[in-house]
Each structure stands twice: as structure tokens, then as C-alpha cells.
Amino acid sequence: MKKPVFAANWKMNLGPQETREYLKTFLEHFPRTDDRTLMIFPPAISLVVAGFALRERNDIMLGVQNIHWEEKGAFTGENAAPMARDAGATVALVGHSERRHTFGEGDEITAKKCAAAFKAGLTVVLCVGEKIEERDRNTTQAVVLRQLKAGISRLTPAQVAQIAVAYEPVWAIGTGRTATPDDATAVHSAIRRALKEVVAHRNLDIPILYGGSVSKDNAASLLAAPEVDGLLVGGASLDPETWATIART
Ligand code: PGA
């Protein structure tokens, strides 16, 4: 059986000092395990501290929340994928709805970032998800599949086979509303079918995570839904004990 994936997206929370304290508590509550995959995405400025705190825990992957698509240059305030790799990240979050909708990043930028991640030796968690008006218009699957296909358009089939996808309905992020397990299953199935078309000749084992207001109360029922291979958790991952509880679901 595929291992479930639990990913913590801290967003713009927990600077270096807080990261040190958080991870000390978290590691006390989360002993090493090999039956699940864990990923933690701190802010870029906390990556090095997080990497040091996790140096004896290679069961936990460190990720970067955002990268620029160029390797270096005059991009004030940005972080390049090779720098994130150097700081200890092995995976990049790409296409998060806050990048798409707060920072105006479209499909083309998402595609370039996915390619830049692989070029730097990072794998990718590619986020996709519809806005409430798109769901109301019954265009959820069309939107999600467009984002998915665009996001992977610059990757080789072998690279696509290494990504994870996170389905995060925009209306569920940080709102306390979640998709029902049935809704999640329907979208995850559509994503899986589309991936199989792209990587037709491979035995695909791409984890498809659900994200959006996951809590310790709803984690088990969402994870039990068919086609849900893991959870991407924002707000509820900011408390180390709560996150340890969710990651043990
Ligand atoms: P949330 O965020 O769990 O706070 O809804 C999830 C995410 O944006 O990845």
C-alpha cells in the first residue's frame, strides 16, 4: 500500500527562532516512522534552521513554499530553486492558490517554476484548485485539469512521475469549510485519470493530497476517502502538537 503523505505549509509564519522551538516540540511528539511521508514547508528564511533541527530525521522532508523560475539574477526579494536546495529543501510547493490569486501567478509561471524545481534537484508538490464561483458554474474539473496540465507541461514524463499533486479548493483554504470526502474523491479521480494519460506508459503512483481547512477533527475522514493519498495542512500545522496528531492519522 502507498504511504500517506502529510505536508505542513506554514505560510508566512514561524521565523528562525520560532522554527527552532516548534521543531523541538514537534520531534518530541513525533517519533521516527517509515509508514508515512512527512513534508514541512517553513518560510524560506527559516529553512536553514529547520534543516539543522531535522538533521537526524531523514524521515521528514524539508520543502520550500515558493521559488523563482530563474536560477539567479536581478529579482530582488526572490529565492531561486538552487538556493532552496542548498538550504536543505528537497521539494518545492508550486501553484499554491495564494501564489495564483494573491500574487497573480498564472499557469505559465507555475509551469516554469515546476521545471526550475526539477532542474535544481527538487521535486514538486503541484497545487491546483477552483474558486467558489468556478465550482458554482460547474467548472471545477475543467479548471483543475487545466491547472494540472499546464503545471506539468514543461516536465518530462519521468519527472511527472515524481511529483505529488495537492487539490486545494480555494474556498476551503483558511475558511473552516472543507470539501466533502465525496467531492474530494471525484476531483482526485479526475486528476489521476489525467495524469495516467500524460504518463501513459508508467505505473503511476503519484500521491494526490487534499488541502483546505484540514484539522485534527476532520483529518481521518478526509484521508479515508478513496483517492485521497495525503493531506496538505496550513493553519492546523502551526501548533506542533496538533500537527503531530494530524501527521499520525
Ligand atoms: P489551511 O491552508 O489548512 O489553513 O486551509 C491549506 C493551504 O493553504 O495549504
Side-chain angles (χ1 to χ4, degrees), residues 137-221:
R137 284 199 300 267
N138 273 328
T139 53
T140 296
Q141 292 200 9
V143 168
V144 164
L145 295 184
R146 191 205 75 228
Q147 292 173 341
L148 176 75
K149 287 178 186 168
I152 61 177
S153 61
R154 291 174 182 239
L155 302 183
T156 65
Q159 289 170 334
V160 174
Q162 293 170 52
I163 71 169
V165 175
Y167 168 54
E168 299 202 300
V170 179
W171 47 269
I173 295 179
T175 59
R177 288 180 66 193
T178 53
T180 64
D182 284 352
D183 286 341
T185 297
V187 179
H188 285 217
S189 303
I191 291 171
R192 180 131 16 238
R193 276 196 303 276
L195 287 168
K196 281 194 169 140
E197 278 169 29
V198 175
V199 199
H201 58 293
R202 278 167 204 278
N203 182 13
L204 261 202
D205 214 12
I206 294 178
I208 305 177
L209 283 52
Y210 170 80
S213 293
V214 174
S215 69
K216 62 179 171 20
D217 300 324
N218 62 25
S221 63

Side-chain angles (χ1 to χ4, degrees), residues 9-227:
N9 173 16
W10 294 355
K11 310 192 181 189
M12 199 171 73
N13 297 287
L14 304 179
Q17 184 58 36
E18 292 164 310
T19 293
R20 205 176 284 123
E21 288 158 15
Y22 175 109
L23 288 173
K24 185 171 179 295
T25 308
F26 175 70
L27 294 180
E28 283 164 12
H29 287 83
F30 192 82
R32 180 181 283 276
T33 167
D34 61 3
D35 65 351
R36 57 202 56 222
T37 300
L38 248 76
M39 299 178 181
I40 297 181
F41 294 86
I45 203 161
S46 300
L47 272 177
V48 171
V49 165
F52 186 74
L54 296 173
R55 66 196 178 284
E56 282 165 13
R57 292 295 298 267
N58 58 7
D59 56 321
I60 301 174
M61 293 170 75
L62 192 56
V64 61
Q65 294 174 15
N66 180 41
I67 50 168
H68 195 271
W69 59 88
E70 294 290 348
E71 281 177 32
K72 59 176 158 180
F75 302 100
T76 302
E78 292 290 321
N79 293 297
M83 296 174 187
R85 182 78 192 84
D86 186 26
T90 56
V91 54
L93 210 55
V94 180
H96 189 276
S97 80
E98 286 146 24
R99 298 305 316 174
R100 292 181 191 270
H101 303 303
T102 308
F103 297 98
E105 296 181 2
D107 287 337
E108 178 63 15
I109 286 179
T110 302
K112 290 203 290 197
K113 289 185 175 190
C114 284
F118 273 97
K119 193 164 176 218
L122 304 168
T123 56
V124 164
V125 175
L126 174 62
C127 304
V128 295
E130 82 287 4
K131 296 200 265 191
I132 191 65
E133 57 270 28
E134 293 164 333
R135 172 159 286 261
D136 289 344
R137 284 199 300 267
N138 273 328
T139 53
T140 296
Q141 292 200 9
V143 168
V144 164
L145 295 184
R146 191 205 75 228
Q147 292 173 341
L148 176 75
K149 287 178 186 168
I152 61 177
S153 61
R154 291 174 182 239
L155 302 183
T156 65
Q159 289 170 334
V160 174
Q162 293 170 52
I163 71 169
V165 175
Y167 168 54
E168 299 202 300
V170 179
W171 47 269
I173 295 179
T175 59
R177 288 180 66 193
T178 53
T180 64
D182 284 352
D183 286 341
T185 297
V187 179
H188 285 217
S189 303
I191 291 171
R192 180 131 16 238
R193 276 196 303 276
L195 287 168
K196 281 194 169 140
E197 278 169 29
V198 175
V199 199
H201 58 293
R202 278 167 204 278
N203 182 13
L204 261 202
D205 214 12
I206 294 178
I208 305 177
L209 283 52
Y210 170 80
S213 293
V214 174
S215 69
K216 62 179 171 20
D217 300 324
N218 62 25
S221 63
L222 287 162
L223 198 60
E227 300 289 342

